[in-house]
C-alpha cells in the first residue's frame, strides 16, 4: 500500500515516472509523449494531407516537405538517444524479422471509447485480412513497393502511369520521390509505386490482430495524433528517410560557389544566458523538467464554458540568445542566417565524420538580415526561432486568455519551444553549433535552396570532417548541453530553474 501511495504522490506532483528502466526504450520515453510534439505532427498531417481534391493535396513542395519533416524528427530522436547513452535507431528494413520493441500505450480515445492496443515484444508483421475494415494487403507489398522506388532512384527517373517518365533530378527529384513514398494524387504512378509510408503505419498498427479475429483496433502508430509515441515509428522512418537519402547521394555535391558568399566572413559565434548577477553564461545551454498547466479544453469532444487545465511535467530549457559577428567587406546587402546543432561525437565517443554527422544536424533557426559594410553584430533570442510557432506560448500560465487572443497566424506547425534544445547530460554533452550566412533569402515557404541545405547532400570526397566543409561565411562553435535533473514548478509562479 505504501508503494501505491508513493507512486500516486509522484504522479500528482508531476514527476516523470517510468515502469522500468531495464528497457532502453524507457530512457527516451518522456520526449515522445510530449503534448507539443504529438500536436505538431498531427497539425503537419492536417496541413499536408495525402488524399482529397487536387486543390487540397497539391501544396508547394509537398513531397520535399514530407521528407524534410521526417528527416528532422528522426535527427532529433537520434540526437536525444545519444544524450541518453543509446545508439541511433536501426532501420526497419527486414519485414520478416520480428519487432523487438514492445509498446504498451496505456492510452484510450474518446472515439468509440476504446483503448489503444499493446504490441508485445517480438511481434511479427503479417498479411492484413481485415474484411470489416476493407483492408486486405499482402505483406509482400512492402518489399515490392520499396524495391520499385529504390530502382527509380538508381535509374534517376520514375515511370508515369501514361508510360512516360519523370526525372528525379537535383531540382524537383526529392519532391517527386516524397509524393511517391507517401502516395497521393501527385504521385507519378500510384498503382505501380504504391503507398509505402502509410502501409508501414497499417502493418505495424495491426500486427497484434492482422485478420481482425480479436476485434482489436489499430495501434497508436496508425493515428497521427499518437504515432510519435511508438518507437517503431522511428525505425520505420529510418527506412523511409534512408530511401530519400539514397536519391540524395546520387546528386552532385554543393560547390564552393553554391556554399560561399564572397565578401562575407563570420568571425565569432557564441550562445549566452543572461544571469541576474555576474557575467553571462556562454556556450552552455541548460535543460530541466518543468511543471505546467495546459489548457486542453479545445481537444475535448464537448465544449466547456471555461478553460479546462491539465497539469503536466515536460522537458524545458533556459532561454538563451545567439551572438553572431559578421564582417562585410562589400556594400550593404541582404543575407540569410541558418543555425544548426549536432552532436560532436558518435556512440563510440569518436569524432563524427562529416557524412555521418550530416544526419544529426537539427535546425535551430533561420532568418534574414541586412548586413552593413564593416562589422555587424547579430543578436537573436532563442524564443524568436523561425521553427517555432504559437505553441511556444501555450505551455505557460500566460496562455490563460480568451479565444480572441489567439494569434491569427496560428498554424500549430512549429516545433514545440520546450523541445528546441536536446536534453544533454548532467556532466555536459558536447555539440557543434553551425552558423551559415548565405546569399539566398528565406521566404515564407523556405528558400530557393533545398530544405535542409547545406546538409541534405554528401560533400566532395575531400571533406572528411565538418572543419573541412567550412567556408568564410560559416562558423562552428562548441556548445555543451547540461541537463539539470530537477523540476521547475511554474504553477506557483517560479521563473528560474537555479539561483543565479
Amino acid at each position: 500500500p505504501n508503494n501505491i501511495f508513493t507512486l500516486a504522490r509522484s504522479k500528482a506532483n508531476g514527476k516523470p515516472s517510468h515502469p522500468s528502466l531495464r528497457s532502453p526504450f524507457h530512457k527516451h520515453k518522456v520526449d515522445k509523449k510530449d503534448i507539443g510534439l504529438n500536436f505538431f505532427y498531427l497539425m503537419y498531417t492536417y496541413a499536408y494531407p495525402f488524399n482529397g481534391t487536387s486543390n487540397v493535396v497539391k501544396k508547394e513542395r509537398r513531397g520535399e516537405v514530407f521528407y524534410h519533416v521526417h528527416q528532422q524528427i528522426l535527427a532529433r530522436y537520434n540526437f536525444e538517444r545519444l544524450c541518453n547513452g543509446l545508439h541511433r535507431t536501426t532501420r526497419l528494413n527486414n519485414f520478416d524479422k520480428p519487432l523487438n520493441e514492445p509498446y504498451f500505450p496505456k492510452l484510450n480515445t474518446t472515439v468509440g471509447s476504446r483503448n489503444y492496443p499493446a504490441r508485445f515484444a517480438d511481434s511479427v508483421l503479417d498479411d492484413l485480412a481485415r474484411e470489416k475494415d476493407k483492408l486486405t494487403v499482402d505483406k509482400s507489398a512492402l518489399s515490392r513497393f520499396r524495391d520499385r522506388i529504390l530502382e527509380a532512384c538508381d535509374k534517376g527517373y520514375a515511370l508515369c502511369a501514361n508510360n512516360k517518365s519523370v526525372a528525379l533530378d537535383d531540382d524537383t527529384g526529392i519532391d517527386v520521390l516524397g509524393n511517391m513514398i507517401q502516395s497521393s494524387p501527385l504521385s507519378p504512378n500510384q498503382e505501380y509505386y504504391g503507398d509505402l509510408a502509410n502501409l508501414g503505419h497499417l502493418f505495424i498498427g495491426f500486427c497484434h490482430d492482422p485478420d481482425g479475429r480479436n476485434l482489436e483496433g489499430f495501434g497508436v502508430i496508425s493515428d497521427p495524433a499518437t504515432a510519435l509515441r511508438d518507437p517503431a515509428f522511428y525505425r520505420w522512418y529510418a527506412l523511409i528517410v534512408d530511401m530519400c537519402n539514397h536519391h540524395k547521394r546520387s546528386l552532385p555535391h554543393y560547390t564552393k560557389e553554391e556554399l560561399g558568399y564572397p565578401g562575407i566572413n563570420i568571425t565569432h559565434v557564441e550562445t549566452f544566458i543572461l544571469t541576474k548577477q555576474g557575467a553571462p553564461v556562454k556556450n552552455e545551454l541548460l535543460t530541466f523538467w518543468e511543471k505546467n498547466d495546459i489548457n486542453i479544453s479545445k481537444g475535448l469532444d464537448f465544449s466547456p464554458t471555461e478553460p479546462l487545465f491539465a497539469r503536466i511535467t515536460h522537458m524545458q530549457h533556459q532561454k538563451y540568445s545567439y551572438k553572431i559577428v559578421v564582417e562585410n567587406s562589400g556594400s550593404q546587402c541582404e543575407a540569410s542566417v541558418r543555425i544548426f546543432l549536432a552532436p560532436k561525437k558518435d556512440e563510440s565517443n569518436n569524432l563524427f565524420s562529416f557524412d555521418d554527422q550530416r544526419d544529426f544536424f537539427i535546425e535551430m533557426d533561420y532568418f534574414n538580415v541586412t548586413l552593413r559594410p564593416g562589422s555587424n553584430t547579430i543578436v537573436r533570442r532563442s524564443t524568436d526561432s523561425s521553427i517555432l510557432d504559437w505553441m511556444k506560448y501555450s505551455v505557460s500560465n500566460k496562455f490563460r486568455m480568451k479565444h480572441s487572443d489567439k494569434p491569427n497566424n496560428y498554424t500549430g506547425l512549429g516545433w514545440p519551444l520546450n523541445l528546441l534544445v536536446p536534453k544533454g547530460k548532467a556532466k555536459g554533452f558536447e555539440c557543434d553549433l553551425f552558423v551559415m550566412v548565405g546569399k539566398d533569402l528565406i521566404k515564407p515557404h523556405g528558400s530557393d535552396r533545398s530544405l535542409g541545405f547545406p546538409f541534405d547532400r554528401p560533400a566532395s570526397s575531400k571533406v572528411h570532417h565538418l572543419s573541412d566543409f567550412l567556408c568564410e561565411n560559416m562558423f562552428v562553435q562548441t556548445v555543451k548541453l547540461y541537463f539539470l535533473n530537477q523540476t521547475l514548478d511554474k504553477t506557483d509562479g517560479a521563473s528560474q530553474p537555479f539561483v543565479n
Side-chain angles (χ1 to χ4, degrees):
N2 290 337
N3 291 336
I4 294 176
F5 287 120
T6 300
L7 180 60
R9 292 191 191 100
S10 173
K11 289 183 178 293
N13 291 331
K15 296 178 181 178
S17 174
H18 300 295
S20 170
L21 287 180
R22 294 177 182 175
S23 169
F25 164 59
H26 288 124
K27 289 185 178 182
H28 193 36
K29 187 174 182 180
V30 175
D31 294 340
K32 295 192 300 300
K33 293 170 62 178
D34 185 88
I35 292 176
L37 177 60
N38 286 274
F39 179 67
F40 157 75
Y41 193 71
L42 178 64
M43 291 298 101
Y44 155 72
T45 62
Y46 285 167
Y48 291 90
F50 55 83
N51 55 18
T53 60
S54 177
N55 63 314
V56 171
V57 177
K58 193 173 182 179
K59 302 291 178 64
E60 185 176 1
R61 303 171 78 167
R62 181 198 173 279
E64 185 180 13
V65 170
F66 166 78
Y67 161 68
H68 184 63
V69 165
H70 290 92
Q71 188 276 329
Q72 281 293 290
I73 289 174
L74 184 65
R76 284 183 171 272
Y77 177 73
N78 282 327
F79 199 135
E80 296 284 1
R81 286 181 67 90
L82 263 62
C83 290
N84 284 289
L86 304 174
H87 283 249
R88 71 196 82 180
T89 193
T90 56
R91 295 178 304 155
L92 204 170
N93 193 41
N94 186 342
F95 306 131
D96 296 321
K97 187 176 180 179
L99 281 169
N100 58 358
E101 297 91 351
Y103 188 60
F104 297 84
K106 298 179 174 64
L107 189 70
N108 60 15
T109 174
T110 56
V111 179
S113 299
R114 71 175 187 86
N115 293 323
Y116 287 99
R119 182 182 64 247
F120 289 86
D122 297 325
S123 295
V124 295
L125 304 185
D126 204 347
D127 297 340
L128 296 180
R130 298 178 63 95
E131 295 182 4
K132 186 177 180 180
D133 299 318
K134 298 181 180 180
L135 182 61
T136 303
V137 189
D138 289 347
K139 185 178 67 172
S140 60
L142 294 173
S143 300
R144 183 167 62 254
F145 294 141
R146 176 200 59 195
D147 295 344
R148 288 176 179 176
I149 293 170
L150 289 175
E151 181 184 32
C153 294
D154 290 335
K155 291 183 175 179
Y157 64 86
L159 299 174
C160 299
N162 59 5
N163 292 326
K164 294 184 178 180
S165 62
V166 57
L168 299 181
D169 54 25
D170 57 353
D171 186 19
T172 60
I174 188 62
D175 193 46
V176 175
L177 184 60
N179 286 320
M180 290 165 56
I181 295 176
Q182 189 190 52
S183 183
S184 75
L186 304 179
S187 172
N189 196 332
Q190 284 185 285
E191 183 176 349
Y192 185 73
Y193 292 112
D195 190 8
L196 182 63
N198 290 328
L199 278 180
H201 285 261
L202 292 175
F203 274 96
I204 299 171
F206 283 119
C207 68
H208 57 281
D209 192 15
D211 56 11
R213 71 179 64 185
N214 299 312
L215 304 179
E216 286 284 342
F218 51 77
V220 294
I221 195 172
S222 298
D223 187 338
T226 56
L228 270 65
R229 301 170 67 101
D230 192 337
F233 173 93
Y234 303 92
R235 289 199 59 199
W236 178 245
Y237 278 96
L239 169 66
I240 299 299
V241 169
D242 187 63
M243 292 175 66
C244 294
N245 288 339
H246 184 70
H247 157 70
K248 289 278 189 176
R249 285 190 284 270
S250 69
L251 303 179
H253 61 78
Y254 291 118
T255 64
K256 290 290 185 181
E257 290 72 25
E258 292 174 300
L259 295 171
Y261 195 168
I264 301 300
N265 183 23
I266 303 180
T267 59
H268 180 74
V269 169
E270 67 180 39
T271 67
F272 64 91
I273 298 175
L274 295 177
T275 58
K276 290 183 177 180
Q277 55 186 2
V281 177
K282 296 183 179 182
N283 300 322
E284 294 180 357
L285 303 182
L286 178 69
T287 65
F288 49 91
W289 300 114
E290 183 175 275
K291 182 162 64 173
N292 247 307
D293 294 333
I294 185 168
N295 187 355
I296 62 171
S297 58
K298 295 179 183 178
L300 302 176
D301 57 358
F302 61 92
S303 299
T305 57
E306 298 292 335
L308 182 63
F309 297 96
R311 183 156 293 179
I312 62 172
T313 297
H314 57 84
M315 186 62 63
Q316 187 57 278
H317 62 273
Q318 183 74 346
K319 295 177 182 178
Y320 66 95
S321 297
Y322 304 99
K323 180 181 177 181
I324 306 166
V325 180
V326 182
E327 293 289 338
N328 177 12
S329 60
S331 57
Q332 180 170 303
C333 61
E334 303 296 315
S336 61
V337 178
R338 288 177 171 87
I339 304 177
F340 290 82
L341 187 71
K344 184 180 285 288
K345 297 180 180 179
D346 62 16
E347 299 93 331
S348 302
N349 204 35
N350 296 319
L351 284 176
F352 270 115
S353 67
F354 177 77
D355 199 48
D356 209 11
Q357 192 179 26
R358 283 190 312 112
D359 295 335
F360 284 86
F361 271 104
I362 60 174
E363 288 181 331
M364 300 297 286
D365 201 356
Y366 49 85
F367 54 93
N368 295 327
V369 294
T370 299
L371 298 176
R372 303 179 309 275
S375 181
N376 296 260
T377 299
I378 303 168
V379 176
R380 175 82 167 181
R381 295 179 300 182
S382 59
T383 51
D384 292 332
S385 173
S386 296
I387 72 167
L388 307 173
D389 204 333
W390 184 81
M391 191 64 189
K392 63 187 176 184
Y393 299 111
S394 66
V395 187
S396 164
N397 284 340
K398 295 179 181 178
F399 72 86
R400 298 172 185 258
M401 52 188 175
K402 299 178 181 178
H403 297 293
S404 59
D405 292 328
K406 192 172 183 177
N408 293 327
N409 63 348
Y410 167 62
T411 64
L413 291 176
W415 190 260
L417 171 61
N418 62 295
L419 297 182
L420 177 64
V421 178
K423 178 183 175 183
K425 291 184 176 181
K427 61 181 181 181
F429 187 79
E430 275 196 334
C431 301
D432 284 328
L433 180 70
F434 173 90
V435 178
M436 175 181 182
V437 176
K439 50 193 171 186
D440 60 304
L441 298 182
I442 306 297
K443 302 175 182 178
H445 296 285
S447 73
D448 294 333
R449 298 291 190 185
S450 298
L451 299 179
F453 173 83
F455 297 116
D456 62 305
R457 299 185 193 177
S460 73
S461 57
K462 297 179 181 179
V463 175
H464 302 290
H465 296 281
L466 181 59
S467 57
D468 304 324
F469 181 73
L470 301 182
C471 301
E472 289 187 342
N473 60 316
M474 304 175 187
F475 198 96
V476 175
Q477 174 64 57
T478 298
V479 173
K480 281 193 174 184
L481 310 183
Y482 287 92
F483 171 59
L484 181 66
N485 193 17
Q486 296 182 18
T487 302
L488 173 64
D489 189 351
K490 293 292 288 289
T491 62
D492 62 3
S495 60
Q496 293 293 334
F498 57 88
V499 178
N500 292 323

